[in-house]
């Protein structure tokens, strides 16, 4: 049996989950902010928003922002708000 080449051997700690682990709790808070900001009392709008938020994707844009803020040592509520706004803008461009 052939041994895998060094290029194909997974490096521990390099999965997406591993990379996002330091900001997992904050990403959950960003999702809460997103849902709160796009809430609507209009049934049709609620349905549309529900479909849009159903496909969460990887939330890479907010994650990168939060990881950068954490790296600088100052992850604050403002970063969470900015991360949510960034994801809203991205989502709006997909519609």
């Amino acid at each position: 049996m052939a041994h895998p080449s060094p290029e194909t051997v997974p490096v521990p700690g390099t999965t997406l989950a591993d990379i996002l682990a330091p900001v997992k709790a904050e990403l959950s808070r960003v999702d809460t902010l997103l849902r709160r900001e796009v809430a609507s009392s209009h049934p049709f709008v609620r349905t549309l928003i529900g479909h849009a938020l159903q496909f969460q994707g990887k939330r890479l844009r907010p994650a990168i922002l939060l990881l950068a803020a954490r790296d600088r040592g100052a992850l604050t509520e403002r970063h969470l708000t900015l991360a949510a706004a960034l994801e809203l803008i991205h989502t709006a461009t997909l519609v």
Side-chain angles (χ1 to χ4, degrees), residues 17 21 31 38 59 85:
D31 280 341
V38 298
R59 299 277 197 254

Side-chain angles (χ1 to χ4, degrees), residues 1-2 7-8 13 18-19 21 24 27 32 43 49 52 57 67 69 71 75 83 89 93-94:
M1 177 173 198
E7 295 84 28
T8 61
D18 293 334
I19 293 167
K24 184 177 180 179
L27 283 171
T32 300
I49 291 169
L67 287 166
D71 182 61
L75 203 147
I89 292 167
T93 66
L94 300 175

Side-chain angles (χ1 to χ4, degrees), residues 2-94:
H3 294 287
S5 69
E7 295 84 28
T8 61
V9 176
V11 177
T14 57
T15 67
L16 184 58
D18 293 334
I19 293 167
L20 300 181
V23 292
K24 184 177 180 179
E26 290 84 357
L27 283 171
S28 177
R29 291 175 62 197
V30 166
D31 280 341
T32 300
L33 281 171
L34 283 169
R35 291 182 188 287
R36 186 179 73 208
E37 290 303 316
V38 298
S40 173
S41 61
H42 192 281
F44 180 70
V45 173
R46 250 195 333 263
T47 301
L48 290 176
I49 291 169
H51 288 298
L53 292 178
Q54 173 183 339
F55 304 104
Q56 293 183 14
K58 297 170 286 295
R59 299 277 197 254
L60 289 179
R61 289 153 193 82
I64 291 168
L65 187 148
L66 297 172
L67 287 166
R70 181 172 292 276
D71 182 61
R72 302 307 305 155
L75 203 147
T76 67
E77 282 295 317
R78 294 180 78 185
H79 292 106
L80 298 177
T81 302
L82 185 56
L86 180 62
E87 189 65 13
L88 282 173
I89 292 167
H90 167 64
T91 302
T93 66
L94 300 175

